[in-house]
Amino acid sequence: MDLVQLQRQLVDYRTSLYHEGFLDEQFTQLKELQDENNPDFVVEVVSLFFEDSERLLNELSKALEQQVIDFKRIDAHVHQFKGSSSSIGAQRVQKLCIVFRNFCEAQNVEGCLKCLQQVKHEYSIVKTKLESMFQLERQILNAGGSVPV
Amino acid sequence: MVMTTAKVFTAVVSCVTALMLVHIIPDLLSVKTRELFLKNKAAELDREMGLIRTQEETGRHVRMLTHEIRSTLDRHTILKTTLVELGRTLALEECALWMPTRTGLELQLSYTLHQQNPVGYTVPIHHPMINQVFSSSHVVKISPNCPVARIRPAGKYMPGEVVAVRVPLLHLSNFQINDWPELSTKRYALMVLMLPSDSARQWHVHELELVEVVADQVAVALSHAAILEESMRARDLLMEQNVALDLARREAETAIRARNDFLAVMNHEMRTPMHAIIALSSLLQETELTPEQRLMVETILKSSNLLATLINDVLDLSRLEDGSLQLDLGTFNLYAVFREVLNLIKPIASVKKLHVSLNMAPELPEYAIGDEKRLMQTILNVVGNAVKFSKDGSILISAFVAKAELLRDSRTPEFFPVPGDNHFYLRVQVKDSGIGVSPQDIPKLFTKFAQTQSTAIRNSGGSGLGLAICKRFVNLMEGHIWIESEGLGKGCTAIFMVKLGIPERLNESKLAFMPKVPPNLGPAAFPGLKVLVMDENGVSRMVTKGLLVHLGCDVTMVSSSEECLRVVSHEHKVVFMDVCVSGMDGYEIAIRIQEKFTKRHERPIIVALTGNTDKVTKEKLMRVGMGGLILKPVSLDKMRSVLSDLLEHRVLFEAV
């Protein structure tokens, strides 16, 4: 695939991510912060997000498997997750976190478990999509072009 | 021898006698004179004793008389008693009292001792003898032939001596504080006393003195009686007024209840159709429309929004009356408000073939601080009235900054505008060439529901509330509104002045700033600014750092409150703190940081980053002394403007 096509593909892909609600304004903000002083800002932040999220999701699974469920702790984790997802603009994940927190407050185990599944699902989708996007960007850079804004 | 002795003896005795006589005779004489002297003295003393006794008696009489007179507050009894007692004490034949008539031109015989019912016998007041009596404060002997003295049956006898004395009639109005009653305006009554005829009695000095004293006492007693009468009358009047006031109050209460009931009903009736109009117009806007249609729908929506606001205000009349209504202050574009009014009014004006022009003075600031909605409402109401009451012609709207000298208008002495640095007075004049208002109706214009009787006005409709509401709003804006008109048919000028704030230059530049600078450029807006970021969440911490680094700041990151307290130094100008922090309460940290820096200028500004903003959070922040609150997620532009605000003012408050 030649450069122009790659670039077009990237743009379309990105647009679809926004359109489908996977990403929101905040992601655009992140991109604005990337400049010559900070050329890999977005990738760095997103990688950190992935690490953080995996850790949190593990903790959540473990917490919900306990005999006696510590809702406070679960709520704290979800709050963290909500914070990070909103920081990078992962809209769908963030919205789910809000729902999750409501279940926590209501101390609804069923609801929490269901939510956790949904969050895990959404997270893996957005992770895959972001990784694909980054791959496209790398391809473009390797082909000698510049990533369209 | 015996003879010689006897002769010598006789001679000696004669000598001695002679000698002795020489001494004795003067002594005898002096004794005699002294005797005479003493006798005279005794006689004098007797006389004096007699006088004293009479005086004492007189005094006793006076006291008794006074007592009698003062024992009653009834005017008639006072006078009657006086005459009776005087008559008895002085053994008078007749005693009479002449009172001045209402006209003051005659004296009327009011009381006599012996005649039971004196029949309206009058005597003109300007008689030389009477004048003589009136002009003297003493008792005056008058001739028995004087008209006032001729009240006895025609005397076959030698009439007794007559005296007369004036009795001052003091009126309440004569008693001013620090002011003695003027003698010239006094009214006098005349008391005439007649000694029995054929008694050859004469008036004695002590008797005359008695009469004078009595006359004065009578005057005092009469004035007391008058005061009492006056106060009784006043009390009756007050009672009547009380009853009337009570009735009025009850009527007013009924009226207020009726008005409130009316408002409650109309509330619902008015709001329902309004909501329908607004809702349906909004829905209509969402559909496919041609540009002209869209414009029309927009105008409908704008007008109905204004109308809805007006209805809300009208139906909250009681809130306006209470003064509990508060202005919604904000920064707004002054020119835009006027343009909006013009746009709303132009269609109606052009239908009536009225020409509307707007003249805005160049020195008017573009932005002002005030209640935009209500200012627009006021202008619209005033302009609307101008359009409503004009059949043709033109309407001129002019707006300018009121000059300091012209702020004090002689026509509005109760208005005291104070010029200052951060506010100005906007003066708006709306001049029309319509039917005008007659001068006596002008004060009524601002009264609710009051309408003038002109049929033209009645036909145009309107509830008469508009100007009353405008006046309330203008008053809330610390201004004044009034109408001038030269009369019916001569047009009308409505003028109002309101106080508006001048926005800080920063806000103006902020409004201009943001659209102009593209987000990609604008790096290093705050070069080297040392800031501290505290956030437990790694991702969000990194993003915040990225933002600040992009803006040129020198960022230190910490991930816990303890670390924050350890690391923070006076070099950090701003601390961004995520307050949804487990463990130590974010607010507590803020307090600790502030404690760490005793000197105010060393303290960093603390800004809270949070995902939720509610009243509780905000209040907590204010209490703790944080510089502001930012809602996550933070965009680049937001961060930029937050930093500029903070550094300019040291306080932000809320950036959403």
Side-chain angles (χ1 to χ4, degrees):
Chain A
M1 230 189 286
D2 73 337
L3 187 57
V4 178
Q5 272 178 308
L6 275 173
Q7 284 172 331
R8 204 173 324 139
Q9 197 184 8
L10 177 64
V11 172
D12 288 338
Y13 194 59
R14 244 192 242 150
T15 317
S16 74
L17 286 179
Y18 281 109
H19 207 70
E20 287 163 32
F22 287 104
L23 295 176
D24 65 20
E25 254 296 299
Q26 183 60 14
F27 192 74
T28 324
Q29 288 292 318
L30 286 184
K31 298 185 49 79
E32 281 175 25
L33 296 178
Q34 193 161 282
D35 54 24
E36 14 346 304
N37 296 332
N38 230 331
D40 297 316
F41 184 66
V42 180
V43 175
E44 281 171 16
V45 176
V46 174
S47 311
L48 186 58
F49 171 66
F50 290 156
E51 275 173 42
D52 217 36
S53 309
E54 254 127 65
R55 181 181 56 88
L56 281 170
L57 285 171
N58 271 336
E59 293 284 334
L60 279 169
S61 307
K62 260 194 279 179
L64 279 169
E65 280 163 19
Q66 301 295 322
Q67 284 288 1
V68 179
I69 296 184
D70 185 350
F71 282 105
K72 266 207 154 83
R73 200 144 160 259
I74 293 180
D75 186 69
H77 287 317
V78 177
H79 179 71
Q80 286 289 318
F81 201 13
K82 174 171 156 249
S84 8
S85 51
S86 82
S87 293
I88 68 149
Q91 201 184 49
R92 285 205 193 179
V93 177
Q94 183 197 3
K95 288 202 172 140
L96 273 173
C97 287
I98 298 175
V99 177
F100 201 150
R101 283 192 87 185
N102 286 342
F103 282 126
C104 282
E105 238 181 84
Q107 306 215 339
N108 182 338
V109 182
E110 290 294 313
C112 285
L113 282 167
K114 209 172 71 169
C115 241
L116 181 60
Q117 288 312 312
Q118 284 175 313
V119 166
K120 273 188 176 161
H121 181 69
E122 278 299 328
Y123 167 71
S124 64
I125 296 177
V126 85
K127 177 169 177 201
T128 318
K129 299 237 176 207
L130 282 169
E131 279 173 345
S132 313
M133 195 179 78
F134 289 143
Q135 206 183 22
L136 266 173
E137 285 181 5
R138 271 197 298 274
Q139 279 178 315
I140 292 171
L141 285 171
N142 289 343
S146 61
V147 178
V149 189
Chain B
M1 206 60 229
V2 175
M3 286 296 270
T4 325
T5 325
K7 273 192 210 160
V8 168
F9 200 61
T10 318
V12 168
V13 171
S14 310
C15 272
V16 169
T17 316
L19 280 167
M20 285 199 67
L21 265 172
V22 168
H23 288 288
I24 287 176
I25 288 174
D27 280 336
L28 272 174
L29 271 171
S30 67
V31 166
K32 253 308 188 254
T33 36
R34 202 160 320 150
E35 215 187 291
L36 211 63
F37 180 65
L38 283 171
K39 239 196 254 171
N40 281 341
K41 259 283 185 275
E44 236 181 83
L45 276 169
D46 264 333
R47 271 200 300 274
E48 291 219 14
M49 274 303 293
L51 260 171
I52 289 174
R53 237 182 281 125
T54 0
Q55 272 178 4
E56 199 208 3
E57 252 182 55
T58 310
R60 225 174 348 106
H61 282 305
V62 170
R63 276 195 298 280
M64 190 186 56
L65 261 169
T66 312
H67 176 78
E68 285 295 326
I69 291 169
R70 300 275 280 269
S71 67
T72 173
L73 281 172
D74 176 46
R75 196 199 294 229
H76 299 287
T77 321
I78 290 173
L79 294 168
K80 204 71 189 165
T81 315
T82 312
L83 298 183
V84 164
E85 291 301 318
L86 268 178
R88 214 156 34 88
T89 313
L90 298 172
L92 299 172
E93 173 171 351
E94 181 57 270
C95 191
L97 191 70
W98 298 76
M99 302 279 276
T101 58
R102 198 173 292 275
T103 59
L105 297 172
E106 293 179 320
L107 283 176
Q108 188 179 28
L109 184 61
S110 311
Y111 303 92
T112 63
L113 200 50
H114 295 296
Q115 291 176 40
Q116 287 304 96
N117 294 312
V119 186
Y121 192 43
T122 60
V123 155
I125 208 168
H126 293 294
H127 192 278
M129 201 142 291
I130 299 176
N131 281 338
Q132 194 192 3
V133 177
F134 278 175
S135 49
S136 161
S137 60
H138 297 292
V139 181
V140 176
K141 277 209 183 82
I142 61 173
S143 148
N145 292 325
C146 181
V148 292
R150 277 197 259 117
I151 55 171
R152 292 174 287 196
K156 314 147 206 156
Y157 311 99
M158 184 65 186
E161 286 197 345
V162 184
V163 292
V165 70
R166 71 176 188 190
V167 179
L169 296 172
L170 299 166
H171 286 275
L172 280 168
S173 55
N174 287 14
F175 286 100
Q176 309 288 327
I177 305 176
N178 300 329
D179 212 341
W180 289 109
E182 292 162 11
L183 295 169
S184 56
T185 54
K186 259 200 205 172
R187 294 196 324 153
Y188 299 106
L190 192 72
M191 194 153 59
V192 177
L193 306 114
M194 291 175 237
L195 290 177
S197 344
D198 284 349
S199 65
R201 247 182 72 188
Q202 291 211 323
W203 282 98
H204 294 148
V205 171
H206 71 267
E207 289 172 336
L208 295 178
E209 280 173 7
L210 176 77
V211 171
E212 272 169 28
V213 167
V214 168
D216 281 333
Q217 289 298 321
V218 167
V220 170
L222 282 177
S223 63
H224 284 185
I227 291 173
L228 180 71
E229 264 178 48
E230 210 34 64
S231 74
M232 303 259 296
R233 232 169 357 102
R235 187 198 66 176
D236 288 336
L237 192 63
L238 275 172
M239 270 174 47
E240 266 176 56
Q241 282 179 340
N242 261 355
V243 169
L245 278 171
D246 201 43
L247 185 65
R249 180 181 57 91
R250 269 181 284 133
E251 277 176 19
E253 278 174 6
T254 321
I256 289 177
R257 267 198 300 270
R259 182 200 74 180
N260 286 344
D261 289 338
F262 166 75
L263 285 178
V265 166
M266 290 307 286
N267 195 352
H268 179 73
E269 301 304 319
M270 283 211 242
R271 285 200 219 258
T272 315
M274 266 327 297
H275 284 160
I277 295 173
I278 293 176
L280 292 173
S281 313
S282 312
L283 282 175
L284 196 58
Q285 253 192 338
E286 304 293 315
T287 65
E288 284 282 327
L289 297 169
T290 69
E292 296 98 43
Q293 285 174 325
R294 188 164 290 280
L295 202 61
M296 284 192 251
V297 173
E298 269 170 18
T299 311
I300 292 175
L301 253 182
K302 273 191 224 149
S303 309
S304 34
N305 273 328
L306 266 174
L307 186 58
T309 312
L310 184 63
I311 289 178
N312 283 338
D313 290 331
V314 166
L315 298 173
D316 288 333
L317 262 178
S318 55
R319 274 206 306 155
L320 276 171
E321 317 274 54
D322 287 341
S324 61
L325 186 75
Q326 281 178 324
L327 296 174
D328 295 321
L329 296 177
T331 308
F332 63 93
N333 187 324
L334 199 56
Y335 286 75
V337 169
F338 281 93
R339 275 198 295 270
E340 189 77 26
V341 170
L342 212 59
N343 287 340
L344 283 168
I345 212 75
K346 269 212 164 112
I348 309 170
S350 61
V351 161
K352 282 181 117 175
K353 304 234 179 357
L354 290 168
H355 180 249
V356 182
S357 62
L358 170 66
N359 178 19
M360 308 265 303
E363 70 264 12
L364 275 174
E366 197 183 339
Y367 289 93
I369 299 178
D371 188 334
E372 180 184 11
K373 218 166 43 145
R374 297 205 167 100
L375 178 64
M376 171 140 60
Q377 216 175 308
T378 308
I379 304 173
L380 193 59
N381 193 293
V382 168
V383 172
N385 278 345
V387 168
K388 196 160 48 157
F389 297 128
S390 302
K391 289 225 180 57
D392 50 36
S394 62
I395 297 182
L396 172 62
I397 311 170
S398 32
F400 37 95
V401 176
K403 299 282 180 296
E405 322 81 69
L406 299 176
L407 282 177
R408 283 294 308 280
D409 207 310
S410 54
R411 283 162 297 191
T412 58
E414 65 276 4
F415 179 48
F416 294 101
V418 176
D421 273 336
N422 56 355
H423 61 262
F424 70 100
Y425 282 87
L426 169 71
R427 185 181 160 114
V428 177
Q429 275 174 212
V430 179
K431 188 170 161 58
D432 70 60
S433 51
I435 59 175
V437 184
S438 64
Q440 63 256 37
D441 284 333
I442 289 186
K444 280 198 264 171
L445 286 170
F446 293 97
T447 326
K448 305 191 298 280
F449 304 119
Q451 298 226 43
T452 57
Q453 291 308 304
S454 159
T455 46
I457 296 176
R458 228 185 284 137
N459 287 341
S460 333
S463 67
L465 274 173
L467 279 175
I469 292 185
C470 285
K471 190 171 161 98
R472 297 278 193 294
F473 288 157
V474 166
N475 284 341
L476 276 173
M477 294 190 224
E478 298 181 52
H480 192 76
I481 181 170
W482 71 96
I483 300 232
E484 290 168 15
S485 173
E486 289 173 32
L488 287 169
K490 296 207 176 87
C492 181
T493 308
I495 307 168
F496 70 87
M497 288 203 272
V498 290
K499 183 174 166 185
L500 293 174
I502 302 174
E504 305 262 336
R505 274 177 312 137
L506 177 69
N507 283 355
E508 276 196 280
S509 63
K510 188 165 77 155
L511 285 161
F513 184 49
M514 286 174 72
K516 283 201 200 128
V517 178
N520 286 340
L521 311 172
F526 308 96
L529 179 71
K530 256 178 115 76
V531 299
L532 184 68
V533 172
M534 190 207 88
D535 195 334
E536 267 190 359
N537 186 314
V539 177
S540 123
R541 198 168 59 226
M542 201 170 163
V543 173
T544 313
K545 178 185 172 187
L547 275 172
L548 292 165
V549 162
H550 192 78
L551 290 170
C553 302
D554 176 358
V555 184
T556 318
M557 291 213 290
V558 291
S559 58
S560 74
S561 12
E562 294 83 15
E563 217 186 322
C564 178
L565 280 171
R566 243 185 315 123
V567 170
V568 75
S569 77
H570 67 271
E571 285 180 343
H572 295 111
K573 291 281 175 273
V574 186
V575 172
F576 289 95
M577 180 188 303
D578 184 308
V579 291
C580 316
V581 156
S582 59
M584 210 193 284
D585 187 356
Y587 311 104
E588 254 188 69
I589 308 169
I591 299 174
R592 296 281 206 83
I593 293 178
Q594 289 184 331
E595 282 171 5
K596 192 168 168 182
F597 300 97
T598 46
K599 294 202 195 118
R600 201 112 200 261
H601 66 266
E602 279 180 359
R603 265 190 228 154
I605 309 171
I606 306 175
V607 177
L609 291 168
T610 174
N612 81 0
T613 163
D614 54 37
K615 210 167 165 207
V616 178
T617 315
K618 237 166 88 171
E619 275 171 15
K620 258 175 115 169
L621 289 176
M622 285 175 91
R623 253 188 291 134
V624 152
M626 290 221 192
L629 166 76
I630 312 181
L631 204 54
K632 287 204 278 189
V634 192
S635 72
L636 188 59
D637 292 331
K638 201 198 299 182
M639 188 56 96
R640 192 190 285 118
S641 66
V642 160
L643 280 174
S644 9
D645 274 343
L646 278 176
L647 295 171
E648 186 87 14
H649 299 146
R650 279 196 76 87
V651 121
L652 160 67
F653 228 83
E654 180 168 2
V656 180

